[in-house]
Amino acid sequence: MCLAIPAQLVELLPGEQAIVNLGGIRKTISIALIETVEVGDYVIVHVGHAIGKIDPEEAARTLAMFGELAEADNDRVSPSTKAAA
Amino acid sequence: MKYIDEFRDGDIARKISARLAEEVQPERQYSFMEFCGGHTHAISRYGIAGMLPPNVRMVHGPGCPVCVLPIGRIDLAIKLALEFGVIVCTYGDTMRVPASNSLSLVKAKARGGDIRMVYSAADALEVARQNPEREVVFFAIGFETTTPPTALAIRDAQRAQLKNFSVLCCHVLTPSAITHILESPEVRQYGTVPIDGFVGPAHVSIVIGSQPYEHFSDEYRKPVVIAGFEPLDVMQAVLMLVRQVNEGRAEVENEFSRVVSRGGNLQAQALVSEIFELRTTFEWRGLGEVPYSALKIRPSYAQFDAECRFDLSYQPVADNKACECGAILRGVKKPTDCKIFGTVCTPENPVGSCMVSSEGACAAHYSYGRFRDIPVVVESI
C-alpha cells in the first residue's frame, strides 16, 4: 500500500503532469504535490503522484556510510557510491 | 534500477550484519518496532530477521493501512455500492479485506456492486468525469503518504465543479498511532511488549518530515531511526538503533536523508490541511478507538464528503473471534501464535486483515518466513 518507487523524470507535460521512466517503462504521473522539478531528477512515485525528490548527494552519503563498514574493502564499494552521485 | 539495486547489495548486508553482531551487548535484549508494513515486508522478503543477532527482535507494528482498517468502514463502502448504487473506486489492497456477512468488496462486486479498482485518486476522479449520470465515491485509505493525492483529487473536483464525486475518507495518522502504542498497557505498564526503539516509516516521513517523531524521543525516551525500505536501509537503521541503546541516547535519526527532511513536503502538507481536519476519534482494527488519529473532510468541502452526502453512520463490528490480528497489530502476538494462521487463514482465503495485504505481518510471514520455523532434519541411511 505505501510502496513507492524511485523513478527518473524524462518529460514535463502541461497540467502538472510528467512522464517518468521506471526501469524502461514510461508512465504519466502527477507532479502537483512537489516543488519545482526538472527533467533528469529522480522522484519517489506513490499511487501515481511524485511525493518527494531524491537528493543525489544524500544518497551518495548514505551509500558511503554503508561503505565505511567495509574499510578493508573500500575500493570495491566506492564505485557504486560514485555511480549514485 | 538506480536507487534500488545499490541498496540491496548482499555483501554489504553481510558486513552490516557482522558489525551488528560485534556491537550488540550479549547480556542485553533489544526489541525494535518497525511501524510500517513496508518494513515488515522487507524484513521477511530479504531474510533480514535471519541476519540479525539472536538478541535483537523485530516487533511488527500497525503501520499497514489495510490491516488497521476496521470491518465497519468496509461495510460502509459495500453499502454505498449495493444499497445506494454508486460506483465505488478503491485501491486494490482493500478489495479482499473480509467484511460483515461474509462479504468483501470483491464479493460485493460479484453480487452486482459497481466496484472498481483504481491505481490512484486521480483515476477515481476520471471515472467520475466519464460517468456524469452516476455517483462516484473514492474509498480512500492510507497513512500520510496517500492522503495528499486524495486531497489533490478533492481540490481538482472542486475546481472542475464535479457534482458526482465524493470521498469516503479513512485516512489515518502515524504519530497518533505510535503514541497510542507507547501509552498502551502492554508497553507502558506490563512490559509484555518491550519496545526499545522504532524504525520510522520512509514514505510517510517524506510527507510529514522527521520533526513529528521528536516528541517520542523527548517525551518517551525512545530512539527513532527513519529508514528507507531497501534491505540495507533497514539493517543500517537497526545498527543505528542498537548504537543509540548502547550509548543511552534517545534521538531521532534519519537514515533516509536522500528523500526525508526535518520539515517534510510543505506543499503537500498545506494542501492536506486545506482539505482535511482532525477527527476527534477513529476506530483502528487492533487498537480500538484512537483519539485524534484520523482525518475527515472539512465542512467547506462537505459536498465531496461521502459520509455527509449519503448520511452514513459508522457501526463498529467485532472481528472474527478466532483471528488474532488485533494482538498481532499491537505486537503482543506473532502470526504463528494464531490458531488459524496458515490453516484456515491464508493469503488466498484471508480471515483477518493481516493476511490480506502483502505488507501485513501474517501475509509476510506466510509468504517468506514460515519455513524458517521448521527445523531442517537430515537423515542418513
Side-chain angles (χ1 to χ4, degrees), chain A residues 30-65:
Chain A
S30 162
I31 49 169
L33 294 171
I34 49 173
E35 287 178 13
T36 48
V37 277
E38 291 169 22
V39 166
D41 285 345
Y42 277 82
V43 292
I44 299 281
V45 181
H46 175 63
V47 294
H49 295 72
I51 55 166
K53 201 159 95 174
I54 296 179
D55 179 337
E57 284 175 21
E58 284 294 333
R61 205 167 293 153
T62 304
L63 285 167
M65 179 169 73

Side-chain angles (χ1 to χ4, degrees), chain B residues 204-257:
Chain B
V204 161
S205 309
I206 294 175
V207 176
I208 64 171
S210 64
Q211 194 268 337
Y213 306 99
E214 288 167 10
H215 171 68
F216 306 112
S217 56
D218 296 344
E219 292 288 317
Y220 296 92
R221 304 294 304 150
K222 298 288 180 191
V224 179
V225 176
I226 296 156
F229 287 128
E230 298 306 333
L232 292 187
D233 290 321
V234 179
M235 294 201 60
Q236 179 69 23
V238 174
L239 179 63
M240 289 161 82
L241 284 169
V242 164
R243 285 177 179 164
Q244 287 208 40
V245 171
N246 287 352
E247 293 163 19
R249 289 183 292 124
E251 294 165 16
V252 175
E253 292 182 310
N254 183 7
E255 187 277 339
F256 201 46
S257 58

Side-chain angles (χ1 to χ4, degrees), chain B residues 33-299:
Chain B
M33 175 174 274
E34 88 273 1
F35 179 83
C36 189
H39 288 135
T40 304
H41 186 79
I43 287 167
S44 295
R45 180 173 174 190
Y46 299 104
I48 291 170
M51 295 183 83
L52 301 177
N55 53 340
V56 175
R57 182 188 157 212
M58 300 307 290
V59 181
H60 309 307
C64 158
V66 181
C67 304
V68 295
L69 190 66
I71 291 173
R73 286 267 150 201
I74 306 157
D75 287 351
L76 288 182
I78 291 174
K79 186 177 178 181
L80 283 171
L82 294 184
E83 291 179 26
F84 293 83
V86 310
I87 301 176
V88 173
C89 296
T90 190
Y91 294 122
D93 327 34
T94 53
M95 294 289 283
R96 293 188 311 126
V97 184
S100 298
N101 307 320
S102 305
L103 276 175
S104 61
L105 283 165
V106 76
K107 286 179 187 163
K109 186 181 170 74
R111 289 196 187 174
D114 194 345
I115 296 164
R116 305 185 189 183
M117 209 167 93
V118 291
Y119 171 61
S120 81
D123 292 349
L125 202 59
E126 195 51 41
V127 172
R129 281 199 186 97
Q130 288 167 2
N131 296 275
E133 76 295 352
R134 301 273 309 272
E135 281 286 336
V136 175
V137 174
F138 178 53
F139 182 32
I141 74 155
F143 285 90
E144 290 88 339
T145 330
T146 326
T147 310
T150 306
L152 195 62
I154 293 174
R155 190 203 69 181
D156 289 349
Q158 196 205 35
R159 284 186 182 175
Q161 297 186 330
L162 275 184
K163 302 278 183 238
N164 63 328
F165 178 78
S166 56
V167 170
L168 177 55
C169 177
C170 302
H171 285 299
V172 285
L173 301 169
T174 305
S176 353
I178 296 182
T179 307
H180 191 76
I181 290 164
L182 287 168
E183 292 284 350
S184 74
E186 290 96 350
V187 174
R188 206 175 166 81
Q189 294 153 21
Y190 307 137
T192 44
V193 184
I195 294 176
D196 300 306
F198 288 92
V199 179
H203 297 144
V204 161
S205 309
I206 294 175
V207 176
I208 64 171
S210 64
Q211 194 268 337
Y213 306 99
E214 288 167 10
H215 171 68
F216 306 112
S217 56
D218 296 344
E219 292 288 317
Y220 296 92
R221 304 294 304 150
K222 298 288 180 191
V224 179
V225 176
I226 296 156
F229 287 128
E230 298 306 333
L232 292 187
D233 290 321
V234 179
M235 294 201 60
Q236 179 69 23
V238 174
L239 179 63
M240 289 161 82
L241 284 169
V242 164
R243 285 177 179 164
Q244 287 208 40
V245 171
N246 287 352
E247 293 163 19
R249 289 183 292 124
E251 294 165 16
V252 175
E253 292 182 310
N254 183 7
E255 187 277 339
F256 201 46
S257 58
R258 59 189 185 273
V259 206
V260 171
S261 62
R262 184 168 180 270
N265 182 339
L266 300 177
Q267 192 163 325
Q269 288 170 24
L271 181 64
V272 167
S273 63
E274 184 195 325
I275 309 283
F276 297 107
E277 62 185 20
L278 276 176
R279 283 182 197 265
T280 46
T281 182
F282 190 80
E283 190 192 2
W284 293 52
R285 185 175 282 205
L287 303 183
E289 291 283 337
V290 183
Y292 301 106
S293 66
L295 298 172
K296 63 177 179 186
I297 296 165
R298 283 189 187 276

